[in-house]
Amino acid sequence: MTQLIQNLVDSLGLGGTYALLALGISLIFGVMHLVNFAHGELITVGAYTAYFLFSTVGGSWWWMPVAIIASCVLASVLTERIAFRWVRTANPFTMLLTSFALERLSHALWQIGVSPKAKAFPKVSWAFDTYQFGDVRIEKMDLVTIFVTALALVVTALVFKRTLFGIAVRGAAEDFDAARLMGVKANRVILGAFAYAGLLAGVAAVLILMRTPSAKPDMGSAWLLAAVIAAVIGGMGSFTGAVAGGVALGMLQTFLQSYLPEGTLSYLNDAFVFGVIAVFFVIRPQGLFDVTHAERV
Amino acid sequence: MLELADVTTRYGAVTALDAVSIHVDEGELVALVGPNGAGKTTLLNTVAGLLTPATGTISFSGERINGTEPATLVRRGLALVPEHRRIFKDLTVEENLKLAGVTVARRLRRERVDEVGSLFAVLRAKWNTNAGFLSGGEAQQLAVARALMCNPKLLLLDEPTLGLAPTLVDAIFELLVTLRSQGRTVLVVEQNAHRALEIADRGYVLRSGRLVAEGLGSDLAGDPQLFEAFLGGGL
Amino acid sequence: MNRSVTLRIGRSLATSAALLAVIGVLAVIYTSTGGASRHSLVDEMLVNLMLVAGMQIFVGNTGVLSFGHLAFAQIAGYSAAIAALPLASKAKVLPGLPFGLGDVHLGALGAVIAAVVVALVVGAVVGVVVARAHGLAPTMITLAVLVVVEQVVKNWKELTRGAGGLSGVPVVHGSGWLYVAAFVALLVACLFHESRIGRFAVATREDELAAPALGIRLFSARYSAWVVSIAVVGLGGAMLVLSLGSVNPKQFTLDRSILVIAMLVLGGMRTVTGAAVGTVLITAGNELFRQLGDRWKIERFSDLFLGGVLLAVMLLRPGGLLGDRDLLGYLRRRFRAPDRPAPPVPERSAALVAADIVVNFGGFRALDDAGIRVRPGEVVGLIGPNGAGKTTLFNVVTGLVDETSGSVHLGDQDLSDAMPYQVARAGLARTFQNLRLFKNLTVRENVELTSLVAWRHRTGSLPVNELLADAGLTAVADRAAGTLDYGNQRRLELARAAALSPAYLLLDEPTSGMSDAESQAMVEQVRAVAAKVGAGVLVIDHDLGFITRISDHMVVLAEGRILAEGTPAEVRANPAVAEAYLGSQA
């Protein structure tokens, strides 16, 4: 029982972070049918922003999250303006490789501009203090993660449900031309989607960096892979699906780690997760929440 | 109000619209009829800014609007109800209207949604239902309501009765008459050529991308040659 | 051996030899002016060339992006290393080697063959999944495969010694063997591109719907491409390990996958020439940037080059520098086998009958008890207002849409549940309302493709030259289909369907968008083509002049039901038909 609760807390924290990233990926896929493999780089941007601020002007974790989130929003918007805008009508293959090119460029820029090695910055002093509930020990950071993620998801749900921007994004995800006919400006809604995806990635970056305060050129890739998988499990373009996929992936990873027998198998955690995912695609290639529309012939 | 002069539109190698000239004057209800593939939808899409004409001039309220972004045209008062309605199925009725009010000033939007909503009793009853669950007739009314959100000077309708049951078809034709009596200018593409021409002030017949007949609506509707003009060629 | 096969092999040999010769000359010039590091760069390039050629076979021909090919290079690499390690050092570094592999020792050639076989066995299983998936799924599956294999290699220490890798594998010295292997890789890629199944794979890349409608089975085309490409990539992986004498997981990362993909797309992934050119350019550019980085003391400067080049290609020339310009394609146009003699026009007796067809789309009944019958050699016109269900009826007959109830028969053959490719092979060839040509292929290749299907799966292929001449397309035969004007595209689609030697041609609006003069000419062309292949015709059109002139019998569909049928004159005189078109005179 104790173990179960512990695992649940861990998996909610991890899965929540995946959900924030997957939601951004799904959002961008919704409005322009791009699987953005450069999305994970936003975390890297956030990390180096924190590193620079700490090492130049000094900084405090009281306001650092704002700076990190702002840098992520800015970076996300920039990728749209300099690259994705020009391949908007291209085939998925071209768009996918464009995002990969940006991912490569980001890695290269940090490696060349800063250093291939990890750069650490001050940690949050209280992050790993623990609370004891009976036999269950919970880190403060776990609670912060779960709380912030939940808050971000609730706010996102409200934005999508209540604001004109949210409704426009949902409408554009379903039928872009019809949204244009209503007076929605294509550039604006896509840029808005990138900005919002950047915001969510920024929140995820803050949570990640509070745990592991260091910046490394390729740190975004592992998160990206998990987030893309989560978005695809949920069904690309489905916002509910992205959240469900993120949490499901977090649980799968945490529980496999915990319950697989000792020995070789436990090292194969990632292999198992991806194996399960490959099988999932075979059984249900359209994801949990199907958003595909039939093509007219 | 709207004038097309020698407008040609191409999709790649295909000439879908071949030097077509038509005009719609203020307060008129004009019907555009013709067989499948005649270029009717292409014409409306070209006017609404979804397509850019290769040659020719489109002017709206005296201004040249070739290749203007649809969002800009909506703000100037030109709205299209597209073929197959294209309502947002994953949004509720209210959200569909809100989205269509994107061009309305923020403080007036709420009011405008209620105003347009009150014109359509059936929609009012399904206010918070996802539009995907509406029947064909309800969906068509929503599509028209959506276009009215921006209070358009000129309303373009593409096949508003397609796939509707006969009683609903009647309702849509009544709606067209009502719109005109409210002083709106309407250009409608309709498969139900006879009825559309009967209620229209004027009509145009398009075939294979060219204009083959034009005249007063009632004259065209009663013309025994209409069927021939429609389908082209003799035996 | 027949002439066309000889020519295919000849063209492939010539192309791969020419490409490799150019690369070899460049390499000799380059290495003769510098030290040993230049030789290892050339070796690395040759290995990459094998990987790129392997990727081209699948990604280039099918248009499905894969990140997972390096996983099979890795499997092959480790297999080669384990097979080639001397027994003594194997006992030392891998004491717990399973499956009795501790007692196996092979020479270099044996190790390469074993490695390719192992990669093939695993690849054959994974390929079943990849080839069956649609849209984004296959790409995602390959990504998952890459990660799974990497993790297994890192963690199955008894077999692989973990992340540190294996060293001490006997090295195959000299670039000579690498040249031989690279030649084999290029040759296989060329041969596959030239082969029937390779052409089919290309067709599925160009249009995922039109290819099955012409008798090409998506799964087998993709699966074959996958298996062959895995074999070549496996060869690359094995040669990589044998040329370096060591193997570790760092050689097969996602980074390298992207390097290989960049090489593939820079020159143009659709052709082997493009793949080879891209490999050389990326290798040279990388090296240039590395040296600049050394001079300016910038670490990993070359990564900037790779990202920049990939981005520039995608934004500016997504088809690659060369696009479809290709040595192999040039030779194909230059040296062509003469057409096979036309088979005699078969006597056909099977009628095409669709009966009691009901189709529901959600709550909407698109077809309501509709049926149609076409007799051999007969031309039946299908008309009706917008939304009547005409195209849906076509889609039901050709297997694209599943009917809710009803049946489709061709003679005694039940096609009710047949897949589109089965319907086409049974003898129904269709065209599409919105034209689905293979746009990047030449006019001739479009027709040749269906002719190949006919040759393999039907009674015999029709002479391509004759079909092109009949359609008036001889002058433009070597142009890309997408560059033709509209009338010619319509005529090409008809010729392409006719090349199947079908029992029935199903034409969906063959004159839409044509001028009156052009549609009159179309009457003659359709009749001539139908007579030539002995086919009956079912045709949808809106031009009553055209349809009355061409049809023996006409059927009117309205709101999913058969409203009227009869001779053209009878149908035109029927007031219900006018009403269906123009609406009631209320």
Side-chain angles (χ1 to χ4, degrees), chain C residues 104-432:
Chain C
V104 177
H105 175 73
L106 298 175
L109 186 61
V112 169
I113 292 170
V116 170
V117 169
V118 174
L120 267 179
V121 168
V122 183
V125 176
V126 175
V128 174
V129 176
V130 172
R132 194 167 285 166
H134 288 278
L136 271 176
T139 304
M140 294 298 149
I141 292 170
T142 59
L143 194 58
V145 167
L146 187 71
V147 177
V148 170
V149 170
E150 185 188 354
Q151 293 298 326
V152 170
V153 166
K154 277 185 181 164
N155 291 300
W156 196 350
K157 297 196 167 126
E158 291 82 1
L159 192 67
T160 65
R161 224 176 134 252
L166 297 167
S167 51
V169 181
V171 176
V172 177
H173 286 285
S175 295
W177 288 108
L178 287 174
Y179 277 106
V180 172
F183 179 74
V184 171
L186 288 174
L187 182 63
V188 173
C190 287
L191 282 171
F192 184 80
H193 192 67
E194 287 271 286
S195 71
R196 178 173 43 79
I197 200 81
R199 307 311 300 161
F200 289 176
V202 168
T204 67
R205 176 193 77 202
E206 292 293 310
D207 197 315
E208 221 174 272
L209 266 173
L214 295 167
I216 294 167
R217 192 176 171 201
L218 207 59
F219 176 81
S220 46
R222 284 200 177 147
Y223 188 70
S224 321
W226 173 268
V227 169
V228 177
S229 81
I230 293 302
V232 174
V233 165
L235 173 68
M239 292 310 290
L240 169 67
V241 170
L242 293 180
S243 69
L244 293 175
S246 64
V247 60
N248 65 68
K250 288 209 180 83
Q251 294 164 331
F252 307 99
T253 52
L254 182 58
D255 284 15
R256 190 166 192 157
S257 265
I258 293 169
L259 172 75
V260 171
I261 290 170
M263 290 174 164
L264 181 60
V265 298
L266 174 61
M269 70 167 193
R270 293 196 288 262
T271 69
V272 180
T273 310
V277 169
T279 308
V280 173
L281 289 180
I282 294 268
T283 306
N286 245 341
E287 179 60 14
L288 182 69
F289 269 68
R290 199 187 57 73
Q291 287 182 7
L292 286 177
D294 284 353
R295 186 176 304 166
W296 299 336
K297 303 268 177 292
I298 304 172
E299 260 184 279
R300 313 198 56 170
F301 192 49
S302 57
D303 287 12
L304 199 61
F305 167 76
L306 190 62
V309 162
L310 195 53
L311 186 61
V313 173
M314 286 303 119
L315 295 188
L316 304 174
R317 268 192 90 94
L321 293 176
L322 296 179
D324 288 293
R325 262 164 292 178
D326 172 28
L327 189 55
L328 194 56
Y330 170 77
L331 293 175
R332 189 160 53 228
R333 287 189 290 279
R334 189 80 181 63
F335 303 99
R336 210 189 320 269
D339 278 339
R340 296 185 185 86
V345 176
E347 273 300 309
R348 304 195 204 266
S349 57
L352 172 62
V353 182
D356 313 323
I357 304 286
V358 176
V359 173
N360 292 324
F361 291 130
F364 175 63
R365 182 158 284 203
L367 284 176
D368 189 4
D369 231 3
I372 201 155
R373 166 189 288 272
V374 192
R375 289 176 197 81
E378 187 185 33
V379 180
V380 174
L382 181 60
I383 63 169
N386 218 345
K390 305 180 295 293
T391 297
T392 306
L393 185 59
F394 261 38
N395 288 345
V396 167
V397 171
T398 52
L400 273 173
V401 165
D402 285 333
E403 61 275 18
T404 310
S405 65
S407 68
V408 180
H409 282 88
L410 178 60
D412 303 331
Q413 206 173 351
D414 188 351
L415 297 177
S416 309
D417 299 319
M419 305 282 287
Y421 77 93
Q422 293 166 325
V423 174
R425 288 178 189 179
L428 303 188
R430 75 171 286 179
T431 65
F432 291 86

Side-chain angles (χ1 to χ4, degrees), chain C residues 64-94:
Chain C
V64 178
L65 185 56
S66 160
F67 294 108
H69 274 65
L70 266 277
F72 299 95
Q74 181 160 19
I75 291 173
Y78 270 92
S79 307
I82 292 166
L85 264 182
L87 291 178
S89 52
K90 210 187 295 196
K92 209 163 72 193
V93 296
L94 294 170

Side-chain angles (χ1 to χ4, degrees), chain B residues 13-15 35-36 83 159 162-163 191-195 198 207-208 210 221-222 226-228 230-235, chain C residues 385-386 390 484-486 489 509 513-516 542-545 548-549 568-569 572 577-578 581-586:
Chain B
V14 189
T15 301
N36 241 356
E83 196 180 6
E159 302 273 17
L162 189 61
Q191 50 160 357
N192 207 327
H194 273 134
R195 289 192 64 179
E198 269 162 13
R207 197 171 71 76
S208 298
R210 288 191 202 84
L226 179 63
F227 188 45
E228 296 298 318
F230 221 75
L231 294 169
L235 279 170
Chain C
N386 218 345
K390 305 180 295 293
L484 295 186
D485 66 60
Y486 189 63
Q489 290 199 13
E509 298 199 19
M514 281 185 167
S515 68
D516 286 348
H542 286 284
D543 185 333
L544 200 68
T548 46
R549 234 169 273 135
R572 272 186 93 132
V577 176
Y581 265 86
L582 301 175
S584 53
Q585 237 157 337

Side-chain angles (χ1 to χ4, degrees), chain B residues 163-198:
Chain B
L164 296 188
T167 53
L168 294 170
V169 173
D170 292 345
I172 296 292
F173 278 107
E174 270 165 40
L175 179 61
L176 289 180
V177 173
T178 313
L179 288 172
R180 189 185 50 165
S181 67
Q182 289 166 349
R184 281 188 210 280
T185 312
V186 180
L187 173 59
V188 61
V189 161
E190 195 28 76
Q191 50 160 357
N192 207 327
H194 273 134
R195 289 192 64 179
L197 290 169
E198 269 162 13

Side-chain angles (χ1 to χ4, degrees), chain A residues 1-3 5-7 9 131-138:
Chain A
M1 190 60 201
T2 315
Q3 180 70 30
I5 294 173
Q6 194 82 54
N7 283 335
V9 171
Y131 293 114
Q132 190 84 28
F133 300 95
D135 290 340
V136 185
R137 288 160 59 91
I138 294 177

